[in-house]
Amino acid sequence: MTGVPASATGGTGRPAPRGKLGTAAVNQASLWNIANILTMIRLVLVPGFVVLLLQDGGHDPVWRAWAWAAFAVAMITDVFDGHLARAYNLVTDFGKIADPIADKAIMAAGLISLSALGDLPWWVTSVILARELGVTLMRFWVIRHGVIPASRGGKMKTLAQGTAVGMYVLVLTGPLATLRFWVMAVAVVLTVVTGLDYVRQAVVLRRQGLAAERAAARSETATR
């Protein structure tokens, strides 16, 4: 994801020590770096994915297979733009804003479209979207005190959501249809559990930040 923190934005983007691409490909963290381009592709894929999914009433297996392909490409670009941004210091202000928007947009588009077609219960869509919106607001709430790093559970949640939505996009029957139900169930559980854990971490971080601010204020008052 291009929104990961880095030491600077813009200017020269020197590859990390373990970087494998040539320096010529990433010699400047400009707007048009490869990580941002992948994010832009993901944004463009969102309306394309919805159009493909809803063709012919939204139940044509061929059109839904194409929609799945668009969704899969979007999920893959999400992985690679993050890796490139971290490895080559390609973080920009555009990426910080556009990357999380692209992540939420493609997932929201899939969930809402599937619920509108009657393939996915609306409560599932509501739980997942409420969690994502709540976590986003929580980030703003604690941002001046610090940043909560992505957890392994959060990464598992993202993988489970992407896999489950992708399986629901395809027209599956028999055991595969049963399997996708359980994959979505796992995704919902991980969504709720990681969301609650994020709230806990945010509350702790805010308390620690406020305590540090009060201690600094008392220290400053004592030295006067």
Side-chain angles (χ1 to χ4, degrees):
M1 300 180 183
T2 55
V4 295
S7 58
T9 58
T12 57
R14 295 178 182 176
R18 291 181 295 177
K20 296 182 180 180
L21 294 181
T23 57
V26 288
N27 62 354
Q28 186 177 1
S30 66
L31 174 64
W32 295 103
N33 65 62
I34 184 62
N36 281 349
I37 290 173
L38 289 176
T39 298
M40 294 176 198
I41 290 174
R42 195 155 74 258
L43 285 169
V44 171
L45 282 172
V46 173
F49 161 70
V50 173
V51 169
L52 290 170
L53 180 60
L54 300 181
Q55 282 293 315
D56 288 342
H59 298 290
D60 184 280
V62 176
W63 283 113
R64 290 185 69 143
W66 281 109
W68 176 87
F71 183 81
V73 170
M75 292 294 99
I76 291 171
T77 61
D78 182 26
V79 174
F80 280 100
D81 68 0
H83 171 73
L84 292 170
R86 288 188 295 270
Y88 299 105
N89 193 23
L90 298 178
V91 179
T92 64
D93 290 337
F94 170 82
K96 291 179 180 179
I97 297 173
D99 180 74
I101 290 176
D103 295 343
K104 301 297 187 295
I106 189 67
M107 189 59 64
L111 290 166
I112 293 173
S113 297
L114 289 169
S115 291
L117 290 171
D119 295 337
L120 188 67
W122 275 106
W123 71 263
V124 172
T125 295
S126 299
V127 167
I128 294 177
L129 294 185
R131 185 271 189 195
E132 299 302 333
L133 177 60
V135 167
T136 299
L137 295 175
M138 195 72 66
R139 286 196 178 100
F140 286 109
W141 186 51
V142 301
I143 193 169
R144 71 188 183 97
H145 302 295
V147 177
I148 300 176
S151 64
R152 180 173 297 181
K155 295 176 181 178
M156 292 174 59
K157 177 270 301 181
T158 300
L159 176 62
Q161 285 182 359
T163 302
V165 171
M167 293 181 74
Y168 269 87
V169 169
L170 291 171
V171 178
L172 301 178
T173 57
L176 287 177
T178 302
L179 176 61
R180 73 180 180 183
F181 168 84
W182 289 109
V183 174
M184 182 59 78
V186 170
V188 171
V189 171
L190 288 174
T191 296
V192 174
V193 171
T194 56
L196 293 175
D197 183 62
Y198 196 98
V199 170
R200 179 190 63 80
Q201 293 185 65
V203 170
V204 170
L205 180 62
R206 187 171 186 273
R207 287 176 178 172
Q208 292 174 342
L210 292 175
E213 289 176 359
R214 287 193 293 265
R218 286 194 297 267
S219 176
E220 182 179 350
T221 301
T223 57
R224 288 180 180 176

